[in-house]
Short mmCIF file of all heavy atoms in Angstrom, two decimals:
data_model
loop_
_atom_site.label_atom_id
_atom_site.label_comp_id
_atom_site.label_asym_id
_atom_site.label_seq_id
_atom_site.Cartn_x
_atom_site.Cartn_y
_atom_site.Cartn_z
N GLY B 46 99.95 83.05 121.31
CA GLY B 46 99.47 83.68 122.54
C GLY B 46 98.09 83.21 122.96
O GLY B 46 97.53 83.72 123.93
N GLY B 47 97.53 82.25 122.23
CA GLY B 47 96.19 81.75 122.55
C GLY B 47 96.21 80.81 123.75
O GLY B 47 97.28 80.49 124.29
N ALA B 124 94.20 92.30 119.76
CA ALA B 124 95.14 93.03 120.62
C ALA B 124 94.41 93.72 121.76
O ALA B 124 93.29 94.19 121.60
CB ALA B 124 95.88 94.07 119.79
N ASP B 176 112.88 83.70 128.91
CA ASP B 176 113.08 84.97 129.61
C ASP B 176 111.80 85.78 129.68
O ASP B 176 111.83 87.01 129.63
CB ASP B 176 114.16 85.79 128.91
CG ASP B 176 115.54 85.34 129.34
OD1 ASP B 176 115.69 85.01 130.53
OD2 ASP B 176 116.43 85.30 128.48
N LEU B 180 111.25 89.94 129.87
CA LEU B 180 110.63 90.64 128.74
C LEU B 180 109.34 91.34 129.17
O LEU B 180 109.07 92.48 128.79
CB LEU B 180 110.25 89.63 127.64
CG LEU B 180 111.35 89.21 126.69
CD1 LEU B 180 110.81 88.16 125.72
CD2 LEU B 180 111.90 90.39 125.91
#
Side-chain angles (χ1 to χ4, degrees):
D176 278 322
L180 278 178

